[in-house]
Amino acid sequence: NLTSSIISSFARSLFYVGQNSASESIGNTATDENPGSAYAPLATISRAINIIAATGDSSTDYRIFVSGTVEENVEIPSDVDSKAKSILIKGANGLDSNRKPKDVLKASDSEIAVLVTKTTVPVTIENLKISGSSFRGITAGSSSSVS
């Protein structure tokens, strides 16, 4: 018998966003119609956040790995409050020899913040360069952190 706990144990808690070597090796392109696996990555962080908001579980720590440059303005809404324990957004390719992030979240609209968190869920940003916003780079709630 399929129960909701069995189904939720197979729900995705790890998302890949942006082109990466795994998807390129089989000729896949990052699109928001993909499931967000390494071989079929999403095009935007926003799509991963929307999936979490729609299907998430409040006891789950979600991880979003960003590869390359993703150009968008991201808002993490309060809809996520009851749908995640925490969210980590991390550059997939680590740091270069100068200890600078190789992966980038670049504002698609430089007149608004590139990343806004409106959730009480802890959001952590690691090894990700934030750029392209002349207004503000990040507008974060009290439970967000950047490293």
Side-chain angles (χ1 to χ4, degrees), residues 76-82 84-86 117-123 141-144:
I76 303 175
S78 61
D79 298 355
V80 175
D81 287 351
S82 63
K85 183 177 177 184
S86 69
T117 61
K118 294 184 176 181
T119 180
T120 58
V121 171
V123 176
S142 60
S143 60
S144 301

Side-chain angles (χ1 to χ4, degrees), residues 32-121:
D32 280 346
E33 288 75 40
N34 287 340
S37 69
Y39 291 97
L42 297 168
T44 64
I45 296 168
S46 295
R47 179 65 180 136
I49 296 297
N50 290 340
I51 293 170
I52 294 167
T55 64
D57 178 346
S58 64
S59 64
T60 302
D61 295 306
Y62 290 92
R63 295 174 292 162
I64 301 170
F65 289 97
V66 177
S67 184
T69 298
V70 173
E71 192 169 329
E72 67 173 315
N73 294 77
V74 179
E75 180 179 305
I76 303 175
S78 61
D79 298 355
V80 175
D81 287 351
S82 63
K83 298 293 188 167
K85 183 177 177 184
S86 69
I87 298 173
L88 168 68
I89 303 173
K90 184 173 185 174
N93 296 302
L95 304 174
D96 66 17
S97 60
N98 294 320
R99 311 240 349 116
K100 305 239 186 233
K102 293 180 181 179
D103 304 298
V104 180
L105 172 58
K106 181 179 179 184
S108 57
D109 182 343
S110 64
E111 298 302 314
I112 59 175
V114 67
L115 177 64
V116 176
T117 61
K118 294 184 176 181
T119 180
T120 58
V121 171

